Amino acid sequence: MKKKLLLIMAMVVALVGCNTGNTDTISITATPESDYRNTFEELGLGQLFDFDFILPNADTSWVTLWVEKYSDGEKEKEKEPIAELSYGMSPNKKDEGKLGFGMINPRSEDSQVFLYGPGTTLHPSKKELGLDAKSSFTWGYATEETINLEIGETKVLAGYRQATGNSIRTYGYQTEEDIERMIEEDSIVLLLKIKVERAEEKDKLE
């Protein structure tokens, strides 16, 4: 397992700096068939949500990527996420690379989670996700089309759900109504979210 983790983290370092295009818009594109995600699945490590991320004005921006957990309709530990990666004030005018969320052995007692963005990584840490290997589950990206993110806007990028019973309904992650329904109906819901702020605005809020 240690060798597998070292391989995955080496791939993170290599991929977070990959070039993904040229645009002046903050954009996030799901990459469900990326080499990183395929390798993760081939090694049988768990679940990975992988994206291409383009951030203009990175030198004056602050990025927060986090995962919220809901159990039986309630957010756990009030507003504290189970994983959070916060970074900004890049030395680069524009950042382009990989961004994502991974769960290692998510349906076991030894589950670990990690987050990554261009030039930065929150290394795997053990989390009690409470997922049951015998329960029905589903996961998905909010959309496989490119998301254009506005400054100060919070977006759901992906989710992982465990059913209360033996079946699970199909919902999308693009509307508040669907997200509220899945939180009410499912035993566990994990939501990957992102927000980009101007650094000076974040300083004022703090």
Side-chain angles (χ1 to χ4, degrees):
M1 177 59 71
K2 289 184 178 180
K3 290 183 178 179
K4 290 181 179 180
L5 289 178
L6 288 173
L7 175 60
I8 289 298
M9 297 318 298
M11 291 183 68
V12 169
V13 172
L15 288 172
V16 291
C18 291
N19 190 292
T20 57
N22 183 21
T23 180
D24 291 328
T25 303
I26 301 173
S27 69
I28 309 167
T29 306
T31 55
E33 300 300 326
S34 69
D35 290 341
Y36 185 20
R37 189 172 185 280
N38 288 338
T39 300
F40 201 83
E41 289 194 343
E42 288 171 5
L43 292 174
L45 290 176
Q47 180 63 49
L48 181 77
F49 298 98
D50 189 50
F51 304 83
D52 285 337
F53 183 45
I54 299 176
L55 178 63
N57 302 310
D59 55 340
T60 59
S61 298
W62 198 267
V63 179
T64 305
L65 183 70
W66 74 98
V67 181
E68 294 177 353
K69 178 182 176 183
Y70 296 83
S71 296
D72 298 322
E74 299 291 334
K75 185 187 291 186
E76 290 200 349
K77 296 183 179 180
E78 297 180 347
K79 296 184 178 180
E80 182 180 342
I82 65 168
E84 183 176 36
L85 178 63
S86 186
Y87 68 96
M89 304 295 288
S90 172
N92 306 314
K93 180 66 177 176
K94 176 186 287 187
D95 276 344
E96 304 178 55
K98 286 293 186 179
L99 174 145
F101 166 52
M103 297 185 289
I104 300 170
N105 299 325
R107 291 156 67 81
S108 76
E109 295 180 357
D110 298 320
S111 56
Q112 299 180 61
V113 300
F114 63 94
L115 296 165
Y116 56 93
T120 185
T121 303
L122 177 66
H123 292 282
S125 60
K126 187 173 181 179
K127 294 290 181 180
E128 300 251 348
L129 297 178
L131 299 174
D132 183 0
K134 297 180 180 179
S135 297
S136 299
F137 71 96
T138 186
W139 59 269
Y141 291 93
T143 177
E144 292 190 13
E145 297 180 0
T146 296
I147 296 172
N148 293 324
L149 187 67
E150 300 291 336
I151 291 293
E153 181 183 22
T154 298
K155 283 281 189 181
V156 175
L157 299 181
Y160 186 102
R161 303 161 50 206
Q162 177 176 287
T164 302
N166 295 323
S167 62
I168 191 165
R169 293 189 182 184
T170 300
Y171 289 115
Y173 295 91
Q174 297 187 41
T175 69
E176 288 293 334
E177 291 78 8
D178 278 354
I179 291 174
E180 289 176 2
R181 289 191 188 100
M182 66 177 72
I183 289 173
E184 291 176 0
E185 295 177 6
D186 298 330
S187 61
I188 293 177
V189 176
L190 304 177
L191 298 176
L192 174 64
K193 295 185 174 183
I194 189 171
K195 184 177 184 179
V196 178
E197 301 169 274
R198 289 283 176 252
E200 59 269 20
E201 293 300 322
K202 185 176 187 299
D203 292 338
K204 289 178 182 178
L205 292 175
E206 294 178 347

